[in-house]
C-alpha cells in the first residue's frame, strides 16, 4: 500500500520551526517510502486564519525545498484528486455537515444549546468543586420540545460528539509506543461550531479519511486530540490511520521554544541569512537521529536515511549555536558563484554598489567564505572593496598612531607604484622586501597597510585583498591613511 501523509498547517501566522519540522518529517517519510506528501490548509479558525499566512507558509515550504505532491497550490489551484485541499472550501462544499448529520442520526452526536456564559459557569463550578474541567453533557438528551424552546430563545446550537462513557481509547504510536486514555477523561467535543464551521478535531478526521491518509505525523502537542479523533473514526466506522507524534521542541533553557528564544519562524531565519539546506538538515535532527549520530547530510541523503524508528519521544533542544555552525558548513560547501548569488540581495540591501569593484564580486565575496556563518554578515565584511574604507577608531589608534607608520605608508605607496605587475605574490614579495630593507618586522608593515586599506585590523588574506582592491585604489587609500597616522 502506498503511504499518504499530510502537513496540515493552520494559517494563523508564519511557518514556525515546529511546523517546519513537522512538514519536513512528513516530506522525508513520503520520499523514503515512495509515498505521497499532501499539503492541506486547515483554516477552520475563521477569526485567526489569514491569506497572508497561507502565502507565507507556501513560501517557507518552497524555500526549504519541501515540494508537495498534492494539495493547495500558491497560484490558487490545487494538485491532486482529493480536493479541495483548503478546509474553508471543503466546508463550502458541504463535506463536513453531511457526516455530522449522519452521526446525529445514529445517536453519536447531538445539538448542544449551552451558551458561552453557561459553559463558563459550568467551568467555574467544576473548578470550585475540584472536578475535571470538562463539558458534562447537559444537552445529551434534550427533547424536541426543549430544543424548540432554545431555538425560540434565539440560541444557535453547536454539534457535539457523544463520547463513550467508559472504557479506554488506546493506540500504538509509532514514536510514543502504547498510549492510552480513559474515556471518562475525554469529553463531548464540539464538531460543528454555532457558525456552521467545523472544528479542527472534526475536520481533521473527515479530511484524513477522505484523503486516505495512512500516517498522521504531527507534533506531540496533539496527543490529547488523538483519543478524541480515534473515537470519531470508530463512530464513523472508518479505518484508523497510524499515528506518529513528534517530540516537543524546547529552547536551550529547557522551556518550550518561543519568541523569548529569538527568531521562531522560518522566514526570520531566511532573512538572517540561513540557507535552506541548513534548515532542512538542522530541523531533521530535532527529534530524529541516525544510529551513528550523523550531523551533516549530502543532498538526497536525508530522504534516503529518514526513518520514524530514529525519532525520539523525549523533547528536542533547539540550539542556535549549532544551527549557526551548520550554516557556516553549508556556506563553505558552495562555489563562490553560488554564494555571491545568494549574497547579492544582502549587498544591495546594504546599499553596496556591486559594480564598483576592481575584480568580480564573486572573488571578493569568496575571500572569506570559510568564515561566514550567516549571509547577513557578508556586506559589512566586504563593503570596503566597493566604497571608501570606514576606519575603525580602535584600529586607527592602535595601529596607525605609531612611530614610523607615516614612513611605512609612504614607502609602501612608492613600492606599489613601482610594481610592474600588481598581483598577490608580487605584492607580497615587494612588501616583505620593503620591511627587510628598512629594518622593520613584517608585522610592523603589514598591520598599518591592512588598516589603511580596509579600515579594519582583521580581514581576508592581506596580499590577495590588496590585489583585489587594485593598484589605484590601494595607492589612494595609503595616501589618505597618512592623514590618520599623524
Ligand atoms: N492544523 C493543525 C495544526 O496546525 C494540524 C494538526 C494535525 O496535523 O493534525 O496544529
Amino acid at each position: 500500500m502506498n503511504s499518504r501523509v499530510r502537513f496540515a498547517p493552520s494559517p494563523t501566522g508564519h511557518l514556525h520551526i515546529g511546523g517546519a519540522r513537522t512538514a519536513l518529517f512528513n516530506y522525508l517519510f513520503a520520499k523514503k517510502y515512495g509515498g505521497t506528501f499532501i499539503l492541506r490548509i486547515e483554516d477552520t479558525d475563521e477569526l485567526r486564519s489569514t491569506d497572508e499566512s497561507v502565502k507565507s507558509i507556501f513560501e517557507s515550504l518552497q524555500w526549504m525545498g519541501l515540494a508537495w505532491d498534492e494539495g493547495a497550490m500558491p497560484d490558487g489551484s490545487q494538485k491532486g484528486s482529493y480536493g479541495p485541499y483548503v478546509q474553508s472550501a471543503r466546508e463550502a462544499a458541504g463535506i463536513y455537515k453531511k457526516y455530522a448529520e449522519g452521526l446525529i442520526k445514529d445517536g453519536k452526536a447531538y445539538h448542544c444549546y449551552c451558551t458561552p456564559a453557561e459553559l463558563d459557569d459550568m467551568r467555574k463550578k467544576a473548578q470550585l468543586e475540584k472536578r475535571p474541567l470538562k463539558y458534562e453533557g447537559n444537552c445529551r438528551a434534550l427533547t424536541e420540545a426543549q430544543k424548540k424552546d432554545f431555538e425560540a430563545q434565539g440560541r444557535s446550537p453547536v454539534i457535539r460528539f457523544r463520547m463513550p462513557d467508559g472504557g479506554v481509547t488506546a493506540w500504538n504510536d509509532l514514536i510514543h509506543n502504547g498510549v492510552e486514555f480513559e474515556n471518562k477523561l475525554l469529553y463531548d467535543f464540539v464538531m460543528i461550531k454555532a457558525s456552521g464551521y467545523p472544528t479542527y478535531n472534526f475536520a481533521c478526521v473527515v479530511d484524513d479519511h477522505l484523503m486516505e491518509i495512512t500516517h498522521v505525523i504531527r507534533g506531540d502537542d496533539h496527543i490529547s486530540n488523538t483519543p478524541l479523533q480515534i473515537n470519531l473514526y470508530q463512530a464513523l466506522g472508518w479505518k484508523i490511520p497510524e499515528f506518529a507524534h513528534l517530540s516537543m521542541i524546547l529552547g536551550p533553557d529547557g522551556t518550550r521554544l518561543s519568541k523569548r528564544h529569538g527568531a521562531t519562524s522560518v522566514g526570520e531565519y531566511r532573512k538572517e541569512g540561513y540557507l535552506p539546506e541548513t534548515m532542512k538538515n538542522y530541523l531533521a535532527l530535532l527529534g530524529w537521529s541516525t544510529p551513528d549520530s550523523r550531523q551533516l547530510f549530502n543532498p538526497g541523503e536525508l530522504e534516503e536515511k529518514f526513518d520514524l524508528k530514529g525519532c525520539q519521544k523525549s523533547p528536542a533542544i533547539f540550539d542556535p549555536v549549532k544551527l549557526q555552525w551548520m550554516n557556516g558548513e553549508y556556506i563553505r560547501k558552495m562555489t563562490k558563484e553560488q554564494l555571491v548569488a545568494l549574497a547579492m540581495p544582502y549587498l544591495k540591501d546594504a546599499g553596496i554598489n556591486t559594480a564598483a569593484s576592481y575584480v568580480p564580486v564573486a572573488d571578493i565575496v569568496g575571500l572569506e567564505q570559510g568564515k561566514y556563518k550567516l549571509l547577513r554578515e557578508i556586506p559589512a565584511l566586504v563593503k570596503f572593496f566597493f566604497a571608501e574604507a570606514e576606519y575603525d577608531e580602535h584600529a586607527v589608534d592602535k595601529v596607525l598612531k605609531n612611530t614610523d607608520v607615516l614612513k611605512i605608508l609612504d614607502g609602501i605607496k612608492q613600492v606599489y607604484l613601482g610594481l610592474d605587475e600588481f598581483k598577490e605574490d608580487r605584492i607580497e614579495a615587494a612588501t616583505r622586501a620593503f620591511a627587510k630593507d628598512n629594518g622593520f618586522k613584517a608585522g610592523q608593515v603589514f598591520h598599518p597597510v591592512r588598516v589603511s586599506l580596509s579600515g579594519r585590523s582583521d580581514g581576508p588574506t592581506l596580499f590577495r585583498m590588496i590585489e583585489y582592491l587594485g593598484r589605484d585604489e590601494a595607492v589612494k587609500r595609503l595616501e589618505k591613511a597618512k592623514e590618520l597616522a599623524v
Side-chain angles (χ1 to χ4, degrees):
M1 185 188 61
N2 270 350
S3 56
R4 290 174 58 82
V5 293
R6 83 312 191 265
F7 175 52
S10 302
T12 55
H14 299 294
L15 182 64
H16 281 194
I17 292 298
R21 195 264 315 248
T22 301
L24 173 65
F25 281 29
N26 276 284
Y27 166 86
L28 293 175
F29 182 88
K31 290 288 156 210
K32 167 79 181 251
Y33 297 107
T36 305
F37 174 47
I38 297 150
L39 176 67
R40 180 174 76 222
I41 303 295
E42 299 204 323
D43 58 348
T44 53
D45 185 335
E46 308 113 294
L47 295 177
R48 292 171 59 228
S49 299
T50 66
D51 288 345
E52 296 83 72
S53 301
V54 176
K55 197 167 156 250
S56 159
I57 291 168
F58 283 148
E59 273 170 14
S60 291
L61 291 174
Q62 285 178 315
W63 177 73
M64 280 182 60
L66 306 182
W68 51 102
D69 308 303
E70 266 183 37
M73 301 308 286
D75 64 0
S77 69
Q78 59 177 45
K79 203 165 140 194
S81 47
Y82 293 77
Y85 292 90
V86 179
Q87 288 186 329
S88 53
R90 297 175 70 75
E91 194 279 328
I95 291 174
Y96 306 113
K97 213 158 265 168
K98 186 165 83 203
Y99 294 103
E101 277 158 10
L103 285 171
I104 294 180
K105 240 199 244 130
D106 293 347
K108 292 172 176 166
Y110 59 92
H111 285 112
C112 166
Y113 292 86
C114 297
T115 62
E118 284 167 350
L119 292 170
D120 208 38
D121 283 347
M122 289 176 213
R123 258 192 300 269
K124 282 187 190 132
K125 200 160 164 250
Q127 219 157 14
L128 274 175
E129 293 168 9
K130 301 208 177 356
R131 280 188 285 116
L133 304 180
K134 71 170 217 178
Y135 180 68
E136 294 292 347
N138 303 34
C139 294
R140 275 180 179 179
L142 294 180
T143 62
E144 284 311 309
Q146 283 171 310
K147 284 188 203 169
K148 279 222 177 74
D149 201 29
F150 280 137
E151 259 152 49
Q153 290 172 24
R155 297 190 183 205
S156 7
V158 301
I159 300 177
R160 284 187 187 270
F161 181 71
R162 171 70 166 87
M163 194 58 72
D165 296 317
V168 293
T169 303
W171 75 95
N172 199 6
D173 196 275
L174 297 176
I175 296 170
H176 289 255
N177 305 319
V179 186
E180 214 177 88
F181 281 81
E182 278 193 64
N183 286 347
K184 68 170 191 270
L185 297 177
L186 307 178
Y187 61 103
D188 291 359
F189 65 93
V190 175
M191 299 181 340
I192 304 278
K193 302 181 236 179
S195 63
Y197 246 60
T199 58
Y200 155 68
N201 274 314
F202 185 57
C204 175
V205 168
V206 171
D207 290 349
D208 283 344
H209 170 73
L210 294 179
M211 294 180 183
E212 297 181 29
I213 299 302
T214 57
H215 297 74
V216 172
I217 305 170
R218 61 185 171 203
D220 67 6
D221 48 330
H222 284 290
I223 276 198
S224 58
N225 286 321
T226 304
L228 308 181
Q229 297 183 4
I230 288 177
N231 276 286
L232 202 42
Y233 279 105
Q234 283 165 339
L236 287 159
W238 290 344
K239 185 171 186 309
I240 300 169
E242 298 283 353
F243 290 100
H245 288 94
L246 306 173
S247 65
M248 193 184 296
I249 304 175
L250 304 180
D253 61 355
T255 63
R256 207 188 179 90
L257 189 66
S258 73
K259 268 271 160 243
R260 277 179 301 121
H261 299 106
T264 50
S265 74
V266 171
E268 284 170 286
Y269 284 97
R270 178 182 182 178
K271 250 195 232 132
E272 288 274 299
Y274 285 91
L275 306 179
E277 294 84 350
T278 309
M279 295 312 283
K280 204 171 148 187
N281 190 151
Y282 185 76
L283 293 182
L285 296 175
L286 278 184
W288 173 77
S289 56
T290 58
D292 60 350
S293 297
R294 264 288 275 289
Q295 296 298 306
L296 295 169
F297 294 84
N298 294 322
E301 257 189 321
L302 281 171
E303 285 81 350
E304 210 178 277
K305 294 198 187 305
F306 183 78
D307 189 344
L308 286 177
K309 282 200 198 80
C311 290
Q312 72 198 42
K313 51 182 165 195
S314 54
I317 308 281
F318 184 83
D319 175 0
V321 178
K322 180 169 165 187
L323 178 64
Q324 268 208 16
W325 160 79
M326 196 176 273
N327 205 48
E329 294 294 314
Y330 276 99
I331 287 181
R332 236 187 304 277
K333 277 193 204 157
M334 281 189 278
T335 64
K336 60 185 178 191
E337 285 73 23
Q338 287 169 323
L339 178 59
V340 80
L342 293 173
M344 211 47 117
Y346 293 83
L347 300 176
K348 293 258 148 72
D349 253 18
I352 291 176
N353 172 13
T354 51
S357 65
Y358 178 68
V359 294
V361 185
D363 290 346
I364 291 171
V365 167
L367 274 178
E368 289 194 275
Q369 186 162 351
K371 280 195 208 153
Y372 307 136
K373 293 247 180 334
L374 299 174
L375 297 173
R376 184 175 56 84
E377 297 168 348
I378 299 177
L381 296 174
V382 300
K383 194 165 177 205
F384 71 89
F385 283 101
F386 305 92
E388 285 192 17
E390 289 164 16
Y391 288 90
D392 172 57
E393 255 177 61
H394 183 69
V396 169
D397 279 351
K398 205 169 149 241
V399 179
L400 294 188
K401 305 253 184 251
N402 276 332
T403 44
D404 296 329
V405 164
L406 209 54
K407 192 172 145 205
I408 290 168
L409 296 183
D410 205 44
I412 286 290
K413 189 183 101 177
Q414 298 308 327
V415 169
Y416 290 176
L417 278 170
L419 278 177
D420 51 356
E421 215 194 356
F422 205 66
K423 288 275 176 245
E424 183 179 4
D425 50 349
R426 305 298 306 278
I427 300 168
E428 175 165 5
T431 309
R432 286 186 188 280
F434 169 86
K436 197 163 171 234
D437 295 349
N438 292 281
F440 295 122
K441 284 197 204 107
Q444 237 180 315
V445 176
F446 295 177
H447 295 318
V449 169
R450 177 185 288 287
V451 173
S452 304
L453 298 182
S454 68
R456 302 204 320 257
S457 51
D458 63 344
T461 169
L462 180 63
F463 303 105
R464 191 163 315 159
M465 173 189 111
I466 300 175
E467 177 190 325
Y468 285 6
L469 269 171
R471 188 199 317 253
D472 291 351
E473 194 57 34
V475 165
K476 210 167 89 192
R477 292 186 190 190
L478 288 167
E479 183 59 34
K480 194 172 162 219
K482 278 161 55 186
E483 290 164 26
L484 298 169
V486 288

